[in-house]
Amino acid sequence: MKRFDIYMSGVGGQGIGLLSEAVIRAADHAGLSVCGVDTHGLAQRGGMVESFVRIGGEVTTPLVRKGSASLILALERTEALRAVEAYAASGGVLLYFDTLWQPLDVRLGKADAVSAEDVEEVCRRLNVRHMAEKRDLPDVRMQNVALLSRAAKEGLIPGVEMEHYRKALEDLLPERVLAENLEVLEG
């Protein structure tokens, strides 16, 4: 398989770590070579969290170069905009959960909140296909699984099928929350 680079971004507490680990395990269940790494920064205080996942091809580092991600997964709109501007390859795809966590500058009145139109405009300029996911969930902490569900249904990661994502969640989640998350994944 030709190398496929994924960049993921969100805010501390949204579950980027689980999303990243689920993608890595799903690719592994699909029999693909895969590696990844997370950076946390000030995640515990609502700061940005990013993950890098590289599937297939010869890989010497798990880090994805700026402007080379085939797929960007973001768990909120401001991070989606930042991620697509920095990491998207021309012809790539952005999939984000359409919610907004107000950054400090917005709360202080120093900047405007990012709109869906802002994201759309940048994607059009950079030749990036974009998809926004938004649906009612039993728990907002399942936004990462909702994003995984959309990625699976759209076939966004070559060679990785719904059954692989399901096995990944079975590996990662405790039994008390597994059934509800599988409903979100397959729903």
Side-chain angles (χ1 to χ4, degrees):
M1 172 184 174
K2 183 180 168 191
R3 194 177 68 230
F4 189 82
D5 292 341
I6 305 169
Y7 176 80
M8 299 178 213
S9 183
V11 176
Q14 286 192 293
I16 278 288
L18 176 62
L19 178 62
S20 173
E21 188 62 30
V23 168
I24 290 169
R25 286 187 187 229
D28 187 52
H29 282 299
L32 303 171
S33 65
V34 59
C35 68
V37 66
D38 298 333
T39 63
H40 293 278
L42 297 174
Q44 293 179 348
R45 296 183 182 213
M48 180 189 82
V49 181
E50 59 185 356
S51 294
F52 303 87
V53 175
R54 303 182 87 190
I55 301 172
E58 286 190 34
V59 175
T60 56
T61 173
L63 297 176
V64 174
R65 287 184 320 175
K66 290 188 175 182
S68 68
S70 305
L71 174 63
I72 293 176
L73 300 173
L75 285 172
E76 71 92 38
R77 205 180 305 142
T78 303
E79 288 303 317
L81 181 63
R82 186 194 59 72
V84 78
E85 287 180 319
Y87 284 93
S90 178
V93 176
L94 164 69
L95 170 60
Y96 70 101
F97 197 89
D98 194 14
T99 188
L100 186 62
W101 287 37
Q102 288 191 340
L104 183 59
D105 285 350
V106 173
R107 284 184 267 156
L108 295 175
K110 295 180 179 179
D112 294 328
V114 172
S115 69
E117 291 76 24
D118 295 333
V119 175
E120 190 176 326
E121 181 181 317
V122 169
C123 287
R124 191 175 18 258
R125 180 171 42 87
L126 297 175
N127 187 32
V128 173
R129 184 174 135 214
H130 74 283
M131 294 178 260
E133 175 70 11
K134 185 160 187 133
R135 62 173 153 156
D136 292 329
L137 297 167
D139 186 323
V140 294
R141 293 175 294 180
M142 295 176 169
Q143 292 171 349
N144 51 4
V145 176
L147 213 58
L148 199 62
S149 172
R150 180 79 180 267
K153 291 174 185 170
E154 298 282 343
L156 296 181
I157 302 176
V160 182
E161 305 292 333
M162 181 63 83
E163 69 187 75
H164 305 125
Y165 294 106
R166 183 185 227 297
K167 287 180 183 175
L169 290 184
E170 289 170 351
D171 291 346
L172 295 167
L173 295 175
E175 195 169 321
R176 63 182 163 73
V177 297
L178 179 60
E180 207 169 24
N181 277 279
L182 289 177
E183 283 182 30
V184 171
L185 177 70
E186 296 168 343

